[in-house]
Amino acid sequence: APGTYEARYHHRYYYGTYAYSAPFSVGGQPPPATTITTDFATYGTNQTINATYANMPGNAMDYVAVSTAGSPASSFIQQVFTNGQINGTQAFSPLPTGSYEARAYDASGNILATKAFSVAGTSVTTDQSIYSPGQAVTVTFSGMPSTSTAYVAISRAGSSNSSIVSYQKTNGATSGTKTFTGLAAGS
């Protein structure tokens, strides 16, 4: 009859299912393709990776994972079962610098969708080590997370992280420069 189906391998009649096919359709539109996306293309080394999946087959043993880019299907760094959820978002722990993929798998371990992302080591440098009071200070940054809330700040040396003299948002840029003026004498 018209509908969406999947093929299943059972070891015994009505006992445990061991493998599933991708969904297929009879007499109607093909089932929508499985997708997985990440909230950013580039992350900092201390940033949580959020992967959003859609149109999973709906099996309890389907899973999403993060893997090193180009690694075999059986290789993953972190893995979480979807417990039959068709759509959802999964948070993964921060990763070291490198190139990765978020992957959506069916219960048989077949990759249904991937999304590449990277984790960059963050660096912040100034164009000089000594300035005159009020002189422009150019800060070069790289490896920043691509978020609209990230910013580069000037703080007094040794002060707490919440002590900020001046700041400028990166506006989602992962690298670039920001210029600060009007700083008083000090470190």
Side-chain angles (χ1 to χ4, degrees):
T4 301
Y5 298 89
E6 64 187 10
R8 298 177 180 173
Y9 164 69
H10 297 271
H11 178 65
R12 292 178 168 173
Y13 193 66
Y14 290 120
Y15 295 98
T17 304
Y18 295 96
Y20 303 85
S21 74
F24 62 92
S25 178
V26 174
Q29 295 292 326
T34 299
T35 60
I36 190 163
T37 59
T38 55
D39 47 351
F40 303 109
T42 304
Y43 294 87
T45 53
N46 62 350
Q47 192 174 13
T48 299
I49 293 94
N50 292 303
T52 300
Y53 55 91
N55 306 315
M56 293 289 282
N59 302 304
M61 300 303 285
D62 295 338
Y63 57 98
V64 291
V66 289
S67 303
T68 303
S71 64
S74 60
S75 174
F76 44 83
I77 299 165
Q78 297 174 45
Q79 169 200 31
V80 177
F81 291 99
T82 62
N83 297 316
Q85 284 189 297
I86 295 172
N87 303 312
T89 298
Q90 178 60 51
F92 291 100
S93 299
L95 297 167
T97 301
S99 296
Y100 299 94
E101 292 176 343
R103 296 176 177 173
Y105 290 82
D106 67 15
S108 297
N110 300 308
I111 297 175
L112 304 176
T114 64
K115 175 65 177 170
F117 68 93
S118 62
V119 176
T122 305
S123 72
V124 180
T125 60
T126 57
D127 60 334
Q128 297 176 186
S129 59
I130 299 175
Y131 297 88
S132 299
Q135 182 181 358
V137 176
T138 300
V139 177
T140 301
F141 62 93
S142 65
M144 294 286 284
S146 55
T147 68
S148 61
T149 58
Y151 59 91
V152 174
I154 301 291
S155 299
R156 292 211 176 263
S159 65
S160 70
N161 285 339
S162 62
S163 177
I164 297 172
V165 174
S166 182
Y167 75 94
Q168 295 182 37
K169 289 187 175 184
T170 61
N171 299 318
T174 58
S175 62
T177 60
K178 296 291 180 183
T179 302
F180 296 85
T181 57
L183 297 175
S187 292

